[in-house]
Amino acid sequence: MSALLEVRNLQVRVEEREILHGLSLTVNKGEVHAIMGPNGSGKSTLSHVIAGKPGYEVTGGEILFKGEDLLEMDPDERAAKGVFLAFQYPVEIPGVATMTFLRTALNAQRKARGESEYSTPDFLKKVREVAASLNIPQEMLRRGVNVGFSGGEKKRNEVLQMALFEPSLCILDEMDSGLDIDALRIAADGVNALRSSERAMVVITHYQRLLNYIVPDFVHVMSKGRVVKSGGKELALELEESGYAQFEDQAA
Amino acid sequence: MNLALVKPTMDGAASDVFAVARDRLPGKGPVAEVRQAAFDDFAQKGLPHRRVEEWKYTDLRVLLREVAPLAPPPDQAALDHAKKALASLDVNGAHRLVLVDGAFAPQLSDTASEAGVTVQTLRAMLENADIAARADLLRTSVASDAMISLNAAMATDGVVIDVAENAALGKPIHIVHVSTQSKAAAFTRSLVKVANGAHVTLIESFVAADGAAGYQAHDSVVLWAGDGADVQHIRLVEDARDAANIATAIVTLGERTQYRAFNLTSGSAVCRYQAFLRFDGQNAHADVNGVSLLNDRQHADTTLVLDHAVPHCTSNEVFRAVVDDQAHSVFQGRINVHPDAQKTDARMMTRALLLSDEAEADNKPELEIFADDVQCGHGATTGALDDSLLFYLRARGLPEKEAQALLIQAFVGEAMESIADETLREVAIATAERWLAARG
């Protein structure tokens, strides 16, 4: 049985500067992996490359998703296959109502998979259920995507999409940035509700704090474009004590 | 001003257009005199070109080259042809008035009388010697403009609409221009008088019958909105892709009048819409919005001139252009605040979205303010689609074209908010969607 996500010796450049120097990572169904590391270690680059953001040049290595070459796919194909990136800074899209966006996106994914589009009543029912569980008021769904949302609301909107699209791989990029403890708890509860044996998560974070709420199975420490140490959830606590300095020396 | 630079002579072809058409143009005596004077003015000015400031970006000597000969009056075949084009219109349930190749077509129009509104044809009024002031139907004092003069000289027909005091019309009035003849010109002129307190929605559509190509639609609309009137004015220009549409609106607003205009251009190769709006009574408000959706080598020019002639009026202009391929969008917005027009609040915002490296957008705001207690603001931006928004949408499963389409719709959406009627807003949205779908 092949891994859900297999990153092999990935090398990535941005404008002539190599950011990832041969990164490898294997994620199986049902697992939650945390990727920790200091600023500039390449954590967000990894999430962007997996999601297919333009502007990154892959100069070596490969990424297999469900055994298929992910790097050959457009971002929308990846989404339809089950890759979901929860953005560190979700963008505001004035003029596109959240409801319209959600329906357009969900139906685009279903269409790409050869599934029938949701009928309006079915769709509305599903969104209402999920929104209620995340404490997202209906009024928010009528506004432009993320327009006027607080930091916490934006992150909850990401979790809402995750719940709606039912991806098999969720990448959470610095989900805790800009959130107070209450907002973090609501978002994390939403994520935990989505943990399942059929779904994997990669939680990217600078701080150990988030991992109190989303408890990982594995922790990887990144430094200077590589994974320098992997371990269980106790590794995160160890990092909280000693900081990243030791690993920066290792990677150098 | 520009006189020294204007070529004083017209080439023979343009003069011929009038000479050849003269006998076919309705109205004798004073009407013919006004036509002749108007044509003389046009002949003296010639087609506007880049050295005429108001036409700086739309040089008709290059883009139009010449005035096409007058289209023949529609025969049965042309009417049948036009009828098919009407079937594709999105606007339903309106009081429809159809002009085919510059002639009113009663066979295709709703002629049943409706309470509160009277409709006559321009042709009949110009030919009616009992109407002493019939020549005034062709006169305008608002601006010295070659194309307004040409329209007055050549106008063959149009509708003259009177809306009675305090009338609240149950359905919109829809003036539909259909062109069936290739390489011919139609000249139409309509006058709309909305009496005090009346509520009216006026829609104008410009469409081509299947196969009509390279034609010119020249139109003028003169609209008076009385005190306390509420007028919604929507224009949808979906002419053939190689046609020209040169149109003028002259709008006068009374006291406490609400005027909401929306102009959508997605058709024609060369399009100029110039609107001259004058506040004549206090406490009136105007929303003058527009959207141009352009690709290939289309050229569309929206020129708005607002005259705040009296105090306490407010205006808001929102214009959006989406420009692809080698298309060219022009927006000129002039706001004149007269010395007495204190407490004027005039705002203008124009934004262009360029979808290709060769697309071009020119924005020219002009504010001339002679009163000291006013608020006037204008802004202009030009840019491409935001890559971070595009990526967000694609990461959520939207293919590139769909992601672009959603962002383009959002971009033009704000300008469509001036369409109060939801059904009509959907008509405008559907037009935009057709344009987006045609992008492939």
Side-chain angles (χ1 to χ4, degrees):
Chain A
M1 170 95 205
S2 68
L4 182 69
L5 178 73
E6 183 84 57
V7 181
R8 287 185 194 143
N9 192 28
L10 188 68
Q11 289 151 321
V12 175
R13 278 172 186 269
V14 178
E15 289 170 358
E16 300 304 305
R17 201 163 70 89
E18 193 167 274
I19 308 286
L20 299 182
H21 319 282
L23 182 141
S24 295
L25 178 70
T26 302
V27 177
N28 294 303
K29 281 200 299 192
E31 295 174 352
V32 175
H33 291 243
I35 296 182
M36 302 185 69
N39 292 328
S41 57
K43 305 187 301 287
S44 285
T45 296
L46 175 64
S47 71
H48 291 159
V49 172
I50 293 173
K53 186 173 182 172
Y56 297 89
E57 190 195 350
V58 177
T59 53
E62 61 181 351
I63 305 178
L64 298 178
F65 180 67
K66 297 178 183 170
E68 291 183 78
D69 184 354
L70 200 65
L71 295 172
E72 283 298 307
M73 298 178 205
D74 283 336
D76 46 295
E77 290 178 76
R78 301 180 195 200
K81 293 263 184 212
V83 175
F84 182 93
L85 170 65
F87 282 58
Q88 181 178 5
Y89 301 110
V91 294
E92 298 189 6
I93 314 179
V96 178
T98 305
M99 233 12 170
T100 307
F101 159 70
L102 293 175
R103 181 171 24 212
T104 310
L106 181 60
N107 281 332
Q109 291 190 21
R110 293 180 66 89
K111 193 176 159 195
R113 292 194 292 263
E115 298 166 9
S116 64
E117 296 190 357
Y118 263 102
S119 72
T120 303
D122 288 352
F123 170 79
L124 289 176
K125 185 164 172 280
K126 188 165 167 128
V127 173
R128 286 207 187 100
E129 281 171 12
V130 177
S133 72
L134 286 163
N135 216 356
I136 293 175
Q138 292 296 308
E139 178 271 328
M140 239 171 85
L141 301 176
R142 284 192 288 272
R143 279 193 266 162
V145 176
N146 292 325
V147 176
F149 287 21
S150 69
E153 286 171 334
K154 284 179 183 169
K155 295 296 167 82
R156 266 186 278 158
N157 192 18
E158 296 290 284
V159 180
L160 168 72
Q161 294 170 48
M162 210 189 293
L164 204 58
F165 302 153
E166 300 175 329
S168 39
L169 174 67
C170 305
I171 302 159
L172 282 58
D173 188 7
E174 307 271 4
M175 165 144 188
D176 45 341
S177 64
L179 293 195
D180 62 34
I181 209 75
D182 291 327
L184 179 59
R185 187 174 293 130
I186 296 172
D189 285 349
V191 171
N192 284 328
L194 296 172
R195 291 179 75 152
S196 93
S197 58
E198 291 302 308
R199 178 174 294 138
M201 296 190 184
V202 175
V203 182
I204 291 172
T205 182
H206 186 88
Y207 301 103
Q208 190 268 338
R209 182 181 74 161
L210 176 64
L211 304 181
N212 291 335
Y213 298 96
I214 304 173
V215 180
D217 303 307
F218 303 95
V219 174
H220 310 276
V221 182
M222 268 187 80
S223 180
K224 296 185 178 164
R226 285 190 187 92
V227 173
V228 291
K229 186 164 187 185
S230 296
K233 63 184 176 220
E234 65 289 346
L235 179 57
L237 295 166
E238 196 182 302
L239 275 170
E240 188 78 350
E241 294 282 315
S242 54
Y244 291 118
Q246 49 171 328
F247 299 108
E248 298 201 355
D249 295 341
Q250 258 182 39
Chain B
M1 309 226 296
N2 291 310
L3 274 179
L5 292 168
V6 173
K7 285 187 197 163
T9 53
M10 279 297 296
D11 53 38
S15 298
D16 285 351
V17 165
F18 185 61
V20 166
R22 192 169 1 217
D23 291 344
R24 274 185 52 202
L25 299 173
K28 306 285 175 245
V31 173
E33 284 166 28
V34 169
R35 288 188 187 280
Q36 184 65 56
F39 191 79
D40 290 346
D41 182 59
F42 171 75
Q44 191 265 328
K45 291 186 169 85
L47 279 175
H49 52 89
R50 66 183 194 284
R51 291 191 304 277
V52 178
E53 182 60 27
E54 294 79 8
W55 291 83
K56 180 177 174 172
Y57 300 106
T58 301
D59 188 329
L60 290 187
R61 291 191 186 179
V62 173
L63 294 166
L64 206 60
R65 302 177 69 94
E66 58 184 22
V67 179
L70 204 58
D75 56 14
Q76 193 55 47
L79 292 171
D80 290 345
H81 210 182
K83 191 174 181 178
K84 284 186 202 135
L86 296 176
S88 66
L89 290 171
D90 291 330
V91 180
N92 294 309
H95 183 157
R96 190 180 275 179
L97 304 168
V98 181
L99 296 156
V100 178
D101 300 329
F104 182 70
Q107 310 89 324
L108 302 177
S109 301
D110 297 323
T111 48
S113 66
E114 197 180 340
V117 59
T118 56
V119 178
Q120 301 172 76
T121 68
L122 180 74
R123 170 175 283 271
M125 291 185 77
L126 291 173
E127 286 175 339
N128 187 345
D130 294 340
I131 303 173
R134 60 192 183 283
D136 288 348
L137 297 168
L138 298 179
R139 285 202 179 97
T140 24
S141 55
V142 65
S144 172
D145 180 90
M147 300 315 282
I148 295 178
S149 293
L150 178 68
N151 181 274
M154 301 286 289
T156 49
D157 208 348
V159 287
V160 181
I161 300 169
D162 278 281
V163 181
E165 201 167 311
N166 295 322
L169 299 189
K171 48 187 183 179
I173 296 169
H174 189 190
I175 304 175
V176 185
H177 299 258
V178 189
S179 294
T180 72
Q181 303 296 312
S182 295
K183 297 189 171 15
F187 291 87
T188 47
R189 186 179 181 89
S190 293
L191 297 94
V192 182
K193 199 166 254 176
V194 180
N196 295 350
H199 285 53
V200 180
T201 296
L202 175 70
I203 309 166
E204 298 176 74
S205 290
F206 292 84
V207 294
D210 194 29
Y215 61 85
Q216 297 176 1
H218 297 265
D219 181 57
S220 288
V221 166
V222 186
L223 184 138
W224 296 270
D227 296 346
D230 187 315
V231 179
Q232 171 132 215
H233 183 190
I234 292 165
R235 301 179 80 252
L236 304 167
V237 180
E238 287 193 89
D239 272 307
R241 297 299 295 263
D242 56 358
N245 184 304
I246 311 291
T248 301
I250 295 162
V251 179
T252 310
L253 304 182
E255 234 176 80
R256 289 170 288 105
T257 301
Q258 299 285 317
Y259 175 70
R260 291 187 301 273
F262 175 77
N263 177 59
L264 179 73
T265 302
S266 64
S268 70
V270 180
C271 184
R272 161 88 165 196
Y273 175 55
Q274 48 181 9
F276 301 86
L277 186 145
R278 183 184 168 93
F279 289 95
D280 250 5
Q282 299 191 16
N283 297 306
H285 175 76
D287 283 318
V288 187
N289 291 6
V291 169
S292 288
L293 302 168
L294 310 172
N295 56 14
D296 295 336
R297 298 179 64 84
Q298 283 182 290
H299 177 109
D301 172 335
T302 298
T303 294
L304 306 175
V305 179
L306 268 60
D307 270 284
H308 279 271
V310 295
H312 294 289
C313 291
T314 54
S315 62
N316 192 24
E317 297 169 55
V318 178
F319 180 77
R320 297 280 185 273
V322 180
V323 197
D324 203 353
D325 304 327
Q326 293 155 294
H328 185 182
S329 166
V330 178
F331 176 82
Q332 305 186 104
R334 185 175 179 86
I335 300 172
N336 299 318
V337 181
H338 295 218
D340 293 337
Q342 303 296 358
K343 303 290 179 189
T344 289
D345 188 331
R347 300 185 187 274
M348 174 163 65
M349 183 68 206
T350 163
R351 292 174 65 195
L353 182 59
L354 303 182
L355 297 179
S356 96
D357 291 342
E358 292 174 287
E360 183 178 339
D362 291 297
N363 289 315
K364 187 173 75 173
E366 293 176 284
L367 274 62
E368 196 164 71
I369 303 168
F370 289 109
D372 50 20
D373 187 10
V374 301
Q375 291 196 47
C376 286
H378 72 88
T381 65
T382 300
L385 281 174
D386 186 324
D387 285 336
S388 65
L389 303 193
L390 271 177
F391 175 62
Y392 189 81
L393 293 175
R394 297 201 65 195
R396 294 300 178 255
L398 272 71
E400 188 171 17
K401 287 283 181 187
E402 271 185 59
Q404 288 182 351
L406 198 60
L407 293 178
I408 292 168
Q409 277 179 292
F411 176 79
V412 300
E414 193 190 346
M416 292 182 177
E417 281 169 17
S418 67
I419 310 174
D421 184 307
E422 202 166 317
T423 320
L424 292 176
R425 203 182 319 134
E426 275 164 20
V427 168
I429 290 168
T431 310
E433 282 173 348
R434 267 200 297 281
W435 184 84
L436 287 166
R439 279 185 79 224

